[in-house]
Amino acid sequence: MGQKVKIFDTTLRDGEQVPGCQLNKDDKLNVAAALDKLGVDIIEAGFPISSPADFDSVKSIAQQTENASVCGLTRAIEKDIDVAAEAIKPAKRPRIHTGIGTSDLHVFSKLRTTKEDVLERGVAAVKYAKKYVEDVEFYAEDAGRTDNEFLARVVEAVIKAGATVINIPDTTGYCLPNQFGAKIKYLKENVTGIDKVDIAAHCHNDLGLATANAISAVQNGATQVECTINGIGERAGNTSLEEVVMIIKQHEDMPFYTGVDTTMLTAVSHLVEDKMNMPVQANKAIVGANAFAHSSGIHQDGMLKNRQNYEIIDPALVGASGSSIVLTARSGRHALNYRIEKIGIKLNKQQLDEVYEQFLLMADEISLVGDDELKKLVADYVVTNINS
Ligand code: KIV
Ligand code: ZN
């Protein structure tokens, strides 16, 4: 089994920040209940100081959640921490997530202060949050672009102040997988006390590397991955939960596991897609409409001989309805025959050859041939053939 990787879901915080994805309280409670059932370890329920409605939702999620820790985000500001502490108070496992920017850009051009001040504010925020809860996660915003030496100083200081989880966000999605992995390794090797805490990878997808970076972090010692359902999130999104979970599950060569029930992934993906009004692209890994659809003749022939020729995941493992053989002008005879037999008709070789000619003409015209068109094509043709 190996090392457990904790799954920290931030669909309701980083995901919900996306324009148009805002949820009402009932929908948030539904999504949170599904996440808890899915088996995530931590639900980041919101940013309680941001609005009274968010405060209220975080509080209700804290009340209803059975298994997962419930976390509220704050800046390194006492008032934020007071409000978050109040919102997560009813949780069985409450967590405060506080932090501050640590890259030169954030220190000098966003916060307009000094590195020493940032370090002190980080430490003070953790100490303040510890007055309320035992479980305090610290984020070093823009850690991806923070120099490793300063990052290590900040991380060591906040661990000393009581942080239980250290979040290393690649806030702008800039790092390459080897760079991000090396950053985690550097912290593991240079920070006193790092072995007592979880290290979290929180990656953004600006260069399409969020999942790769999160996995690289895990391979270098991160024990928590922060992610969202369908990879939704600021700009190009966050690390996608279903991708990380399935990479860890399918790669038995890596000594890791998660507590997620993978058979629920498709249903939860659809729930979030629907509630957040954020359609999933058809070619999205794991949960896209085409994730288990095969359309070219070469692939279809291979699939029909042995599914494993072209599928590395059994669709049932992620709760998908199954693989599909779709009929387009690129499909071959083997696939056409398979689909014709599925609608209950058996053709001999010569009939199949002839139907295939008709099928190609039709597919060139309408691009996707469904069962209805197929029935017409076959019925007409068989009748003609029998009568001739
Ligand atoms: O991307 C980021 O840096 C964040 C932090 C607030 C954790 O979302
Ligand atoms: Zn983020």
Side-chain angles (χ1 to χ4, degrees):
M1 267 215 145
Q3 164 83 49
K4 177 165 183 179
V5 176
K6 294 179 184 162
I7 298 296
F8 175 114
D9 181 278
T10 184
T11 305
L12 294 172
R13 200 277 298 169
D14 231 343
E16 216 244 356
Q17 287 173 206
V18 176
C21 280
Q22 276 70 35
L23 298 181
N24 63 36
K25 182 174 161 185
D26 281 350
D27 287 343
K28 282 188 192 174
L29 287 170
N30 275 338
V31 171
L35 292 170
D36 200 25
K37 244 176 122 191
L38 182 66
V40 307
D41 298 279
I42 304 104
I43 296 171
E44 185 161 56
F47 181 18
I49 193 130
S50 65
S51 76
D54 206 43
F55 174 90
D56 190 36
S57 299
V58 174
K59 191 166 183 180
S60 298
I61 291 169
Q63 273 156 355
Q64 79 165 18
T65 302
E66 294 288 338
N67 303 306
S69 298
V70 176
C71 175
L73 183 77
T74 81
R75 294 164 294 184
I77 294 174
E78 289 189 357
K79 181 76 186 144
D80 279 29
I81 296 170
D82 292 335
V83 173
E86 185 59 28
I88 59 165
K89 204 155 134 192
K92 289 194 175 120
R93 294 173 196 80
R95 175 181 293 185
I96 291 175
H97 188 191
T98 190
I100 191 162
T102 52
S103 65
D104 282 0
L105 267 164
H106 278 232
V107 173
F108 301 123
S109 80
K110 184 180 114 167
L111 300 163
R112 299 193 176 161
T113 182
T114 62
K115 288 182 162 188
E116 290 315 306
D117 180 52
V118 158
L119 192 143
E120 279 164 26
R121 279 155 70 174
V123 167
V126 170
K127 285 190 176 155
Y128 194 73
K130 284 297 267 198
K131 293 202 316 196
Y132 289 112
V133 288
E134 166 50 29
D135 193 8
V136 175
E137 173 167 341
F138 175 83
Y139 64 86
E141 195 180 3
D142 205 18
R145 294 187 298 174
T146 301
D147 81 79
N148 285 348
E149 229 173 275
F150 180 60
L151 186 61
R153 272 187 65 210
V154 173
V155 168
E156 190 163 305
V158 296
I159 291 174
K160 246 196 187 146
T164 48
V165 184
I166 298 297
N167 180 9
I168 305 300
D170 185 21
T171 305
T172 55
Y174 176 72
C175 288
L176 295 172
N178 66 324
Q179 294 169 338
F180 198 62
K183 191 173 280 289
I184 303 296
K185 188 162 186 273
Y186 181 89
L187 296 175
K188 287 288 285 180
E189 288 172 354
N190 291 283
V191 171
T192 305
I194 196 86
D195 289 331
K196 294 187 304 200
V197 300
D198 277 315
I199 302 179
H202 177 114
C203 300
H204 281 265
N205 207 31
D206 301 67
L207 292 172
L209 290 170
T211 297
N213 283 342
I215 294 296
S216 177
V218 167
Q219 290 175 311
N220 283 281
T223 46
Q224 175 174 298
V225 171
E226 308 205 349
C227 42
T228 59
I229 300 292
N230 301 336
I232 63 168
E234 286 272 356
R235 308 181 306 281
N238 288 55
T239 301
S240 146
L241 181 148
E242 58 279 6
E243 291 172 12
V244 165
V245 166
M246 290 313 294
I247 289 167
I248 289 174
K249 185 158 187 89
Q250 297 307 86
H251 270 273
E252 284 166 9
D253 50 327
M254 294 198 301
F256 307 116
Y257 71 97
T258 73
V260 166
D261 174 0
T262 61
T263 64
M264 287 183 62
L265 287 172
T266 301
V268 177
S269 163
H270 288 162
L271 177 73
V272 168
E273 177 180 32
D274 176 43
K275 298 286 180 208
M276 290 194 154
N277 203 18
M278 187 77 168
V280 172
Q281 74 203 51
N283 62 329
K284 168 81 181 62
I286 320 295
V287 292
N290 291 347
F292 301 103
H294 305 271
S295 60
S296 85
I298 296 171
H299 288 211
Q300 291 175 329
D301 180 59
M303 261 297 288
L304 292 169
K305 286 173 176 152
N306 178 353
R307 195 187 64 72
Q308 289 179 343
N309 282 328
Y310 285 100
E311 275 184 358
I312 57 159
I313 299 170
D314 179 345
L317 201 56
V318 297
S321 55
S323 315
S324 57
I325 298 288
V326 293
L327 294 179
T328 70
R330 305 291 159 264
S331 299
R333 279 178 184 68
H334 196 169
L336 179 65
N337 194 41
Y338 166 81
R339 287 283 302 272
I340 289 172
E341 286 190 358
K342 274 194 102 173
I343 56 170
I345 292 166
K346 196 140 184 69
L347 300 179
N348 64 32
K349 182 172 176 324
Q350 193 201 333
Q351 287 171 327
L352 178 63
D353 285 347
E354 288 166 359
V355 170
Y356 186 62
E357 297 301 312
Q358 302 300 315
F359 158 76
L360 285 180
L361 294 175
M362 182 187 259
D364 266 338
E365 233 171 74
I366 64 170
S367 86
L368 192 65
V369 178
D371 278 353
D372 286 348
E373 289 89 11
L374 202 57
K375 273 180 201 157
K376 268 190 227 150
L377 188 65
V378 175
D380 287 355
Y381 192 79
V382 169
V383 170
T384 314
N385 218 12
I386 289 166
N387 293 337
S388 62

